[in-house]
């Protein structure tokens, strides 16, 4: 029963979103549905966080390998959640000083802001920056000019790497900028690769993806593709 | 074991150490000397600059900060330069974000780049922080028809219908320009898809300029220049744009030197240079080893066959 | 020397260097804040949505009946130095213990993550476990205060929300909000195995809405607009120079337009798998592959650029905000460098009471 209802809900929501883009009187309906979608997205954050808590609690209770780190995760979760929900260290809004919890949750100096600035920001930023090292190692070990295609890839990468820094200017700066050969300067070659070749290649990919997304969306809306419901269909 | 074999089997941690030195040493040297490399702006950065330069005084600009601290190293210099340029153009700046970790970045950018140079600006009259809303493209869909429905209050909890700057703002078409600095999903691509593209071919299509990460720049370049009027691609794009903005601000404010904080993207081009040179060197060495070993194995194969 | 001893030596040396750095020159990693006393007193009332609400005005600190608190704003060290130089007894600008500790925490967590480059270790795992918990809670808190509070609870129980949490919100009941509320509760049922089947309804709503949104936008933006951008005249007019109108066509731009067109068409042919890639189709697809390879090469170059930029930003944080080795933003007036620190250290040692004893020992 719930599966049939789900198919109907998908059909109605999908058709409404499509129709509201073309028929003016239905614009408001589309707006309302999108707004409900936005609220559900925020509730999904609660679901995600609760799920993480559940997984780590079960790891601790089962004393699985690395349960100590699960305890750290839960502690970090509990502290961040508590200081954020209770707005610890947040002053009221000057317009509403009588309402103690009227201030911004992440106001400068608050506990939630502290966690964001000194814990969340450095860890996430450093994790992303680690890839600079792995990409260097991969370039040394795997980036080989084995055939025409690989050579083209390598040459394009070379030109972009040199052309996007001052090295390109130094290496081909002897070619006069106003001459017919100026296009051979690394910075110009890099721009041409970016705006012509990468643009063409990505445009082909974008058009291909658009066709795929349109087909998949139609299959979902019409109930042909029900894979999102899990096994059984 | 020959030298080539040893080089081929080098511990990756030596490569990591080389990368660390290639980036860290220039930062210390540049930090002590203040030396910078000259910038030659490319077409996509120039187009972004010209789109903002063409705005009239008091233009309404929606500025979406769709990134988090993880990408701030690359994108914050762009956001800073955009904000300073908009301040110079006396634009009315409406800040918002579709990324939960971005609200503190908005506050910081406003404080350092808009209010530091223009302390007389009034919140709600000259600039506004509308904060975050969950829903990604769902929010975009709503703001194309009714902006205040998606953002019922600003970041400070004041209802948007009571804010002076929000008078006359119906939807995204009410803005003269949209500036998006984005790291991924939702970001510039979604802004093009859900907000800009429906207005193409209309009397007043929405104008959008973007600042994007190096990872997403090649995927977004096909939208330039029709669906995206300008684009800052990676830290190089940020440095080019920052250079142009600084020139304009210095020309407009003779005798008022620019703080060094406003040259962060240009400063970062030095570690970038040495990092790139190391990458090029590693690729050359790696390929040299590859070809030498292939030649060796072919010779060995031929000799083996002859024997 | 085994690995444990190596690590011990590294830590001891690093701790010694940090200690020296902390106590030489103006120190390191210090954050200063300026206190501002906010004092507000009710001056009247105004009607908002049919309800009388108090209006406040700023008054002098210490005024009877005023609501007061201290607001802090971060200031660069140079502002503190200037204030101290002008009036050594001032207390308005002072060191912030929480923020200074914060810089140390951020620096240590940065190093914990970098330690993974050597090998997986408990420090990295600690930072990793921390970020999982912090991120999950962060998103939940932001979603709660920025979306659920104004939109869901603000429509369900407006009086409570406006009285206690968001006084600026328009308190208006909207019973349609019960629909997403019900869907939300059904979504949360996913946490309970027995009730999980119910969660397929909100999931269907999310999938249906997303499909509808994506169908229109992808066709409009990525299929039609991108095709239109490709199907342009191959003869491109030369750009106008200043007031001079465009004369004739530009060879360079025309070649670029032709290359772009060939690239898009050949790339699409490569992705068309319903026809065997032989003959003309095969050759065109091969050109498409070349374009794609150049595209991926460019993407690699840009990715490298992005990642190095992120690493550079972390280095700047460590050298500038934490160690105070560099001062590119001139936050500390006197550019405190590593060299200056060493000089200060040498100076301190020379004037120390045990220096004569060391000299006597021939050191």
């Amino acid at each position: 029963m719930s599966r049939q209802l789900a198919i109907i809900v998908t059909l109605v929501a999908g058709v409404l979103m499509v129709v509201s883009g073309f028929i003016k009187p239905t614009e408001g309906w589309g707006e309302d549905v999108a707004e409900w979608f936005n609220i559900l997205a925020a509730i999904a954050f609660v679901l995600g966080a609760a799920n993480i808590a559940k997984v780590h609690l079960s790891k601790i209770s089962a004393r699985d390998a690395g349960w100590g780190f699960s305890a750290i995760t839960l502690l970090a979760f509990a502290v961040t959640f508590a200081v954020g929900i209770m707005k610890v260290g947040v002053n009221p809004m000057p317009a509403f000083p009588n309402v103690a919890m009227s201030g911004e949750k992440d106001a400068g100096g608050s506990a939630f802001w502290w966690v964001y600035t000194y814990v969340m920001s450095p860890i996430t930023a450093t994790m992303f920056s680690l890839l600079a090292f792995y990409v260097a190692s991969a370039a040394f070990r795997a980036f080989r000019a084995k055939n025409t295609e690989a050579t083209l890839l390598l040459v394009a990468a070379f030109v972009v790497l040199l052309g996007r820094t001052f090295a390109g200017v130094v290496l081909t700066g002897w070619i006069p900028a106003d001459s017919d050969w100026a296009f051979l300067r690394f910075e110009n070659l890099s721009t041409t690769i970016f705006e012509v070749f990468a643009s063409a290649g990505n445009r082909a990919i974008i058009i291909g993806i658009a066709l795929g997304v349109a087909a998949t969306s139609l299959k979902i809306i019409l109930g042909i593709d029900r894979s999102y419901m899990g096994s059984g269909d | 074991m020959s030298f080539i074999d040893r080089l081929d089997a080098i511990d990756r941690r030596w490569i990591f150490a080389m990368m660390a030195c290639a980036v860290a040493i220039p930062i210390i040297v540049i930090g002590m000397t203040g030396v910078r490399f000259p910038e030659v702006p490319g077409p996509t950065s120039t187009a972004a600059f010209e789109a903002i330069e063409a705005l009239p005084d008091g233009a309404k600009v929606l500025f979406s900060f769709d990134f988090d601290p993880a990408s701030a190293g690359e994108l914050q210099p762009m956001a800073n330069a955009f904000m300073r340029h908009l301040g110079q153009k006396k634009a009315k700046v409406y800040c918002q974000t579709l990324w939960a970790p971005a609200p503190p970045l908005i506050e910081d950018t406003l404080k350092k780049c808009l209010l530091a140079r223009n302390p007389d600006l009034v919140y709600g009259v000259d600039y506004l922080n509308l904060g975050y809303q969950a829903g990604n493209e769902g929010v975009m869909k709503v703001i194309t028809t009714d902006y205040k429905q998606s953002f019922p209050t600003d970041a400070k909890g004041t209802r948007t219908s009571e804010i002076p700057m929000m008078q006359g703002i119906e939807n995204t078409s009410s803005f003269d320009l949209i500036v998006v600095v984005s790291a991924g999903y939702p970001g510039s691509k979604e802004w093009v898809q859900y907000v800009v593209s429906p207005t193409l071919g209309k009397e007043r299509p929405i104008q959008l300029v973007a600042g994007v990460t190096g990872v997403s720049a090649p995927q977004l370049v096909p939208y330039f220049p029709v669906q995206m009027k300008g684009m800052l691609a990676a830290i190089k794009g940020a440095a080019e744009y920052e250079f142009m903005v600084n020139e304009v601000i210095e020309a407009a404010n003779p005798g008022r030197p620019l703080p060094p904080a406003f040259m962060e993207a240009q400063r970062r081009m030095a570690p970038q240079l040495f990092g790139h040179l190391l990458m090029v060197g590693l690729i050359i060495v790696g390929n040299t080893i590859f070809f030498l070993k292939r030649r060796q194995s072919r010779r060995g194969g031929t000799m083996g066959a002859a024997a | 020397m085994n690995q444990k001893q190596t690590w011990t030596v590294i830590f001891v040396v690093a701790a010694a260097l940090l200690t020296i750095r902390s106590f030489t020159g103006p120190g390191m990693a210090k954050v200063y804040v300026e206190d501002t006393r906010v004092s507000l007193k009710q001056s009247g009332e105004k009607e908002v949505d049919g309800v009388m609400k108090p209006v406040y005005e700023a008054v002098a600190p210490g005024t009877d009946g005023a609501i007061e608190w201290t607001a802090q704003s971060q200031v660069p060290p140079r502002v503190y130095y200037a204030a101290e130089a002008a009036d050594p007894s001032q207390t308005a600008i002072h060191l912030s213990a929480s923020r200074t500790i914060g810089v140390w925490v951020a620096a240590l967590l940065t190093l914990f993550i970098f330690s993974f480059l050597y090998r997986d270790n408990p420090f990295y795992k600690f930072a990793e476990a921390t970020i999982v918990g912090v991120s999950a809670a962060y998103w939940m808190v932001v979603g709660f205060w920025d979306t659920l509070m104004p939109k869901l609870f603000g429509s369900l129980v407006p009086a409570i929300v406006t009285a206690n949490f968001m006084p600026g919100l328009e308190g208006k009941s909207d019973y349609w909000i019960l629909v997403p509320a019900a869907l939300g509760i059904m979504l949360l049922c996913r946490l309970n195995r027995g009730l999980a089947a119910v969660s397929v309804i909100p999931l269907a709503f999310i999938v249906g809405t997303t499909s509808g949104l994506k169908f229109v936008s992808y066709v409009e933006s990525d299929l039609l607009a991108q095709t239109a951008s490709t199907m342009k005249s191959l003869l491109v007019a030369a750009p106008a120079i200043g007031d001079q109108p465009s004369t004739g066509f530009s060879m360079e731009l025309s070649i670029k337009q032709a290359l772009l067109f060939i690239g898009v068409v050949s790339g699409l042919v490569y992705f068309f798998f319903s026809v065997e890639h032989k003959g003309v189709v095969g050759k065109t697809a091969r050109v498409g592959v070349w374009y794609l390879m150049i595209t991926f090469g460019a993407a690699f170059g840009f990715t490298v650029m992005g990642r190095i930029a992120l690493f550079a930003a972390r280095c700047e944080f460590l050298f500038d905000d934490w160690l105070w080795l560099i001062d590119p933003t001139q936050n500390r007036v006197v550019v405190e460098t590593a060299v200056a620190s060493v000089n200060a250290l040498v100076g301190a040692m020379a004037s120390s009471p045990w220096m004569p004893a060391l000299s006597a020992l021939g050191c």
Side-chain angles (χ1 to χ4, degrees), chain C:
Chain C
M1 200 186 281
N2 64 27
Q3 203 175 65
K4 200 174 174 183
Q5 288 167 326
T6 311
W7 277 108
T8 310
V9 170
I10 289 171
F11 275 112
V12 169
V13 170
L17 286 172
L18 274 178
T19 312
I20 292 167
R21 184 70 197 89
S22 302
F23 293 101
T24 50
M28 60 184 271
K30 291 177 187 167
V31 182
Y32 296 93
V33 288
E34 183 171 15
D35 287 346
T36 312
R37 195 79 186 142
V38 179
S39 185
L40 299 158
K41 191 175 179 183
Q42 188 176 346
S43 59
E45 284 188 326
K46 72 169 180 180
E47 193 187 320
V48 179
D49 302 329
V51 181
M52 294 307 286
K53 295 207 168 169
V55 176
Y56 292 85
E57 64 174 14
V59 291
T63 307
D64 275 351
I67 303 171
E68 294 190 0
W69 66 85
T70 302
Q72 287 189 332
S73 57
Q74 195 166 319
V75 293
R78 66 183 145 79
V79 175
Y80 168 75
Y81 300 150
E84 279 288 295
D87 176 13
S89 63
Q90 66 86 29
T91 53
I93 301 176
H94 57 90
L95 185 79
S96 166
S98 67
R99 293 182 199 224
T100 302
I101 292 168
V103 172
W104 277 87
V105 169
L108 291 176
L109 288 171
T110 301
L111 295 177
F112 286 179
I113 297 290
F114 278 140
S115 71
F116 186 75
L117 291 170
Y118 183 74
R119 58 159 38 176
D120 199 1
N121 63 75
F123 296 108
Y124 174 78
K125 283 207 172 89
F126 170 81
E128 192 187 42
T130 305
I131 195 62
V132 172
V134 167
S135 294
Y138 182 88
W139 281 78
M140 196 168 156
V141 168
V142 171
F144 177 80
W145 282 117
D146 290 356
T147 302
L148 295 182
M149 186 57 82
K151 290 184 177 173
L152 184 65
F153 299 116
S155 299
L156 282 175
V157 280
I160 296 172
V161 171
T162 52
N164 299 296
F165 306 109
M166 301 187 81
L169 191 72
E170 189 174 4
K172 210 166 61 177
S173 294
D174 176 9
Y175 294 108
W176 276 109
I177 214 73
L178 289 170
V179 178
L183 287 171
I185 291 166
M186 288 158 97
L187 191 67
L188 293 175
C189 286
R190 211 172 171 78
L191 291 166
N192 184 308
R193 203 170 288 169
L195 298 168
V198 180
S199 69
V200 80
I201 306 294
L203 198 63
F205 176 78
I206 292 169
V207 171
T209 312
T210 312
S211 301
L213 274 170
K214 286 201 183 293
F215 175 76
V216 179
S217 66
Y218 271 83
V219 170
E220 198 169 38
S221 166
D222 287 9
L223 186 59
L224 300 179
Q226 284 292 299
T227 308
S229 295
T230 311
M231 305 299 282
K232 283 182 174 170
S233 169
L234 296 181
L235 290 180
V236 182
I241 302 164
D243 296 336
Q244 299 291 315
S246 168
T247 51
F249 78 98
S250 159
M251 178 66 92
E252 187 193 340
L253 295 179
S254 300
I255 290 172
K256 282 184 175 176
Q257 179 60 31
L259 285 171
L260 189 91
F261 178 78
I262 292 166
V264 176
V265 172
S266 59
L268 283 171
V269 168
Y270 171 70
F271 287 123
F272 193 64
F273 299 115
S274 303
V275 177
E276 202 177 345
H277 286 186
K278 282 198 309 194
V280 178
V281 175
K283 280 176 183 152
T284 312
R286 191 161 166 75
V287 174
V289 171
W290 291 343
Y291 266 89
L292 290 173
M293 286 300 138
I294 297 174
T295 304
F296 298 145
F300 175 82
F302 273 92
T303 303
V304 168
M305 178 161 232
R307 297 311 179 201
I308 290 176
L310 298 181
F311 175 51
R314 293 321 296 156
C315 286
E316 263 194 28
F317 164 76
L318 290 174
F319 299 150
D320 184 10
D321 297 328
W322 184 45
L323 293 172
W324 285 17
L325 288 177
I326 56 171
D327 189 15
T329 50
Q330 292 179 4
N331 270 337
R332 299 184 287 277
V333 191
V334 181
V335 180
E336 178 63 19
T337 64
V339 178
S341 299
V342 173
N343 289 341
L345 177 69
V346 171
M349 284 174 70
S351 58
S352 67
W354 35 269
M355 201 60 199
L358 286 173
S359 302
L361 289 168
C363 298

Side-chain angles (χ1 to χ4, degrees), chain A residues 31 116 141 143 145 161 202-203, chain B residues 10 101 145 149 218 222 276 287:
Chain A
E31 219 176 81
Y116 171 88
R141 300 204 188 283
F143 217 3
L161 283 170
N202 276 306
R203 188 168 283 171
Chain B
I10 189 174
T145 50
Q149 185 174 349
H276 285 204
N287 275 280

Side-chain angles (χ1 to χ4, degrees), chain A residues 112-190:
Chain A
F112 194 61
W113 170 88
W114 193 96
V115 171
Y116 171 88
T117 309
Y118 299 120
V119 179
M120 193 169 146
S121 299
I123 296 182
T124 53
T126 313
M127 277 183 161
F128 266 56
S129 75
L130 282 187
L131 285 169
F133 297 91
Y134 291 106
V135 88
S137 177
F140 178 70
R141 300 204 188 283
F143 217 3
R144 304 280 194 253
K146 285 180 181 170
N147 50 37
T148 314
E149 284 80 12
T151 309
L152 278 172
L153 193 146
L154 202 139
V155 169
F158 245 73
V159 173
V160 170
L161 283 170
L162 293 173
R164 303 285 292 177
T165 60
F166 195 61
V169 179
V170 171
L171 289 170
T172 51
W174 50 273
I175 302 173
D178 51 357
S179 73
D180 288 342
W181 300 100
F183 72 94
L184 287 174
R185 286 168 71 115
F186 268 123
E187 65 268 31
N188 294 338
L189 277 176
S190 165

